[in-house]
Amino acid sequence: MSKVKINILDNLSLQNLMDEDAELIPLMTAEDEAKMHKEALPKVLPILPLRNTVLFPGVVVPITAGRDSSIRLLKDANKGNKIIGVVSQKNEEIESPSIEDIHRIGTVARILKVLKMPDGNTMVVIQGQKRFEVDAFVQDKPYIKATTKDFNEVRYEGEKEFKAIIDSIRELSLKIIEENPNLPSEASGAIKNIQSDSFLIDFVSSNMYIDVAEKQELLNIKDQKERALATLKKMNSELQRLELRNDIQSKVREDMDQQQREYFLQQQMKTIQEELGGVSYDEEIEEMKEKAKKKKWSKEIAKIFEKEIGRLQRMNPQVAEYSVQRNYLDLFLDLPWNEYTVDKFDLKKALKILNRDHFGLEKVKERIIEYLAVLKLKKDMKSPIICLYGPPGTGKTSLGKSIAEAVGRKYVRISLGGLRDEAEIRGHRKTYIGAMPGRIIQSIKKAKTSNPVIVLDEIDKLANSHNGDPSAAMLEVLDPEQNATFHDNFLDVDYDLSKVLFIATANSLSTIPWALQDRMEIINVHGYTVEEKIEIAKRHLLPKQIEAHGIKVKDISLSPKVLEKIIVGYTRESGVRGLDKKIAKVTRYIAKSIVMEEEFNPKIKVEELDKILGIARMERDKYENNETAGVVTGLAWTQVGGDILFIESILSKGKGLTITGNLGKVMKESATIAMEYIQSNFETLGIKPKALEKNKVHIHIPEGATPKDGPSAGIAMLTSLVSSFTQRKVKSKLAMTGEITLRGKVLPVGGLKEKILAAKRANIKEIILCAENKKDIEEINQKYLKGLKFHYVTEMNEVIKIALLKQKVKGAKKI
């Protein structure tokens, strides 16, 4: 009833404000009310909307005018007959209400006084006269005006039942004032001295702590008895609420007094114990014990916890070790001991999720489905340690998230790139100030389950330092036979990691120690073909960029030809990160055109890409013609996928062998082996002895700024040298890869899928490979091999027969 206090005080103080010598009570007599009721209702009234109150007849209220229309209305009315119509708004949030925003039933009011406040605002004091009903609105500017009609009330003056209801209202009002200590004693006097029954109902209705909508309902009731009963009902609710609030406050006060007494006693006891160096108790320790009862840990862990919490109780809270011990016990309680999520064994749904999020990567998906199948049959199985390695941007990290969703487990990612402190993995001993658990235990705590999917990102980029070797610390984590008893230095208790599904990612295996490699199941995530990249762009990249840039699907369309041009001409990668950036740039171009209201065609054409993305600069792996002797196309593997190399050789007068092109040791050895093989087999190769004696040989591989190494260019170097010595043409649109020996054997090489894709991009039609590489070709999806012919060889003589034509180059030199 805080609002009752305010409004009653308003009415009392306002009466004093109007006339300091006026008698305060009664507030309104029956004669006053009869006089107001008999006054004729003006035909047209200026309508003043009130934001957060309802004016009742006889009630005096102050109004601070804020709206320009309201100030104008009050100013005009004050100069005239001082009569206005007051109605309440349907929604108090509306700043400038229209005709539709106000109620149709209101109160005729008289302006009693206009007061200038110290802050410069104008306050107008008005008193309600009688109810009225809006007939029609005749004006809305500069303020609302309306024609009115009488509000025909059903009155019950003198009736016994009505009188009994009025007596109940008066009695209940006095009880409410008595229950509310914030209300003044004058309020009781005011209620007792209200002589008019009708005004008593309106006065109480105006001062009740109810919202505007409920007050408007009371104002709208025409039947006086019905209005009195409705008011009585709301007063009963208010009294019950007050009594309940007072009971609660009384109980809280008693509880607070008791708690404060106990607190002061405990503080005194604590101070005495600290002075004596004794035990210090804390409510938080009891909370820890209660929390410990709900944990699912074993008896051994429970014993350790009891021992450690006993140590905490015996410690002085002021010493530094107290916070370390407290953090240790918090970790103990936060870890999900023997708490596991339930795996989903719907393999078809799991495969559907994997296919939805990633295109291709069949081997990885197959391995995950196999794992789930075995887990479903066996129910309990040590999780495998999977290592996905391959070029950047091929979806290795995001694959972990998809696997977690497919299996129905929590997902956590740990970034290992640049990690050089062993304690980051195993944690610090808790004897140190600021000690913390390692990242593995922190991830388990974060996941809130003991069998999450943990992605160990960039495991090949762990670094060594004087703080230890983190890769050595990972040996225990990633060993299925050891990680059931993983030991964290901070936790100092074995924790079971055998149910965790670890997925490591790496760009290269060369920097991962062999012992760590041995503990993981290595799965090679190859680069994507152009066809796969087109599908990825259509299914994932383009929709993602459309959403990210706030445009609609209809605003942009990229055909397969346009996507292929972007892939081939503007990106040089195995993954799709660069492609994603280029598509984002095209999307930004569309977004800019929409905002600047420029004309644009949603269907981007190939010719427009030069304008949007600039001139294509990546199309350098194009096959060159075979009009020059000594130029052979080789196939190479790089960290961003496959590529083609042009091996060039030329003869000049002199002696010796020169090799250029920023080649590594192994590649230089291949050139030397090729030269030695030619000198040993010149007759079978159709080379004159004098040509070997009188000519200096120069071998070069273009793009000298790029370091190149490896044995796979051996057969290409040999073919180039034989072509230079014989001046025979190299077969058109042919590429080759393979290692050679001094005996003329051709050995297998790696990276076949990337090399084949590079050859296809360069429009190569035939490829020479070692016969042992045939099994690698069979593993590649056959649809990517369409249009390619493979020659499988074991000897160098076979390579020369396939690669070199009998026809000599135009303008062949005499060697």
Side-chain angles (χ1 to χ4, degrees), residues 627-678:
E627 298 301 319
T628 307
V631 180
V632 177
T633 306
L635 298 175
W637 178 92
T638 69
Q639 286 193 342
V640 294
D643 202 353
I644 64 171
L645 290 177
F646 296 106
I647 287 90
E648 303 174 345
S649 63
I650 193 169
L651 305 180
S652 58
K653 287 185 180 181
K655 288 185 180 181
L657 173 65
T658 303
I659 305 167
T660 57
N662 199 353
L663 308 185
K665 187 178 179 182
V666 177
M667 221 164 183
K668 288 179 180 177
E669 287 177 353
S670 294
T672 306
I673 292 168
M675 197 64 207
E676 291 295 332
Y677 177 80
I678 289 170

Side-chain angles (χ1 to χ4, degrees), residues 16-274:
N16 280 330
L17 186 67
M18 298 303 303
D19 186 359
E20 292 181 2
D21 299 323
E23 185 178 351
L24 181 61
I25 46 180
L27 288 175
M28 180 180 283
T29 64
E31 291 78 17
D32 292 334
E33 188 193 22
K35 184 181 175 183
M36 284 182 182
H37 191 70
K38 286 177 182 177
E39 283 184 6
L41 187 68
K43 282 294 179 186
V44 178
L45 274 177
I47 303 297
L48 176 68
L50 294 185
R51 189 194 294 270
N52 55 7
T53 190
V54 176
L55 178 66
F56 286 81
V59 178
V60 179
V61 294
I63 296 171
T64 302
R67 301 170 180 150
D68 292 339
S69 58
S70 300
I71 294 168
R72 177 81 177 270
L73 183 151
L74 292 167
K75 188 177 180 183
D76 291 350
N78 194 42
K79 288 178 181 176
N81 62 3
K82 301 183 184 292
I83 301 296
I84 61 172
V86 176
V87 295
S88 66
Q89 292 180 199
K90 293 176 182 176
N91 182 358
E92 66 180 53
E93 300 293 329
I94 297 173
E95 186 61 37
S96 300
S98 62
I99 292 167
E100 290 78 23
D101 299 322
I102 58 177
H103 290 284
R104 295 299 185 269
I105 295 173
T107 305
V108 177
R110 179 182 294 279
I111 298 173
L112 301 181
K113 200 169 184 82
V114 178
L115 303 168
K116 198 75 175 175
M117 303 304 288
D119 59 0
N121 289 330
T122 300
M123 187 178 78
V124 181
V125 181
I126 60 173
Q127 183 178 30
Q129 300 286 304
K130 60 190 293 187
R131 288 172 172 80
F132 78 95
E133 205 168 344
V134 172
D135 186 27
F137 293 98
V138 296
Q139 176 183 306
D140 60 351
K141 294 289 172 73
Y143 48 81
I144 300 170
K145 279 188 178 182
T147 58
T148 62
K149 57 183 179 180
D150 288 323
F151 186 86
N152 298 317
E153 287 187 83
V154 181
R155 303 179 73 82
Y156 294 86
E157 298 295 337
E159 190 187 30
K160 286 184 179 180
E161 186 182 349
F162 180 71
K163 194 68 179 172
I165 296 171
I166 294 298
D167 290 341
S168 297
I169 290 174
R170 198 183 303 275
E171 186 181 342
L172 208 55
S173 298
L174 295 173
K175 279 187 181 179
I176 288 172
I177 293 167
E178 188 181 337
E179 283 291 326
N180 195 335
N182 297 320
L183 292 176
S185 57
E186 292 89 348
S188 296
I191 294 293
K192 287 175 184 176
N193 287 280
I194 292 176
Q195 297 175 359
S196 166
D197 296 340
S198 180
F199 177 62
L200 178 65
I201 299 169
D202 288 336
F203 184 82
V204 171
S205 298
S206 177
N207 289 288
M208 271 198 295
Y209 189 66
I210 54 177
D211 58 34
V212 173
E214 289 177 288
K215 287 186 179 181
Q216 184 66 38
E217 286 174 11
L218 294 175
L219 186 73
N220 293 349
I221 299 173
K222 291 188 176 183
D223 191 294
Q224 206 174 40
K225 190 191 290 184
E226 187 184 333
R227 189 192 306 151
L229 286 169
T231 304
L232 191 61
K233 184 179 178 182
K234 292 184 186 297
M235 289 174 72
N236 269 311
S237 299
E238 179 66 12
L239 180 61
Q240 288 173 11
R241 188 160 53 245
L242 266 172
E243 287 174 345
L244 183 61
R245 189 187 71 178
N246 289 340
D247 286 346
I248 292 168
Q249 285 182 344
S250 176
K251 288 177 184 176
V252 169
R253 196 176 296 111
E254 288 175 10
D255 291 343
M256 283 293 291
D257 292 342
Q258 181 64 23
Q259 283 179 7
Q260 284 179 345
R261 183 171 174 275
E262 288 175 1
Y263 174 75
F264 288 127
L265 287 172
Q266 285 175 356
Q267 287 298 109
Q268 288 173 357
M269 205 171 150
K270 193 174 181 181
T271 305
I272 293 166
Q273 286 166 351
E274 285 175 1

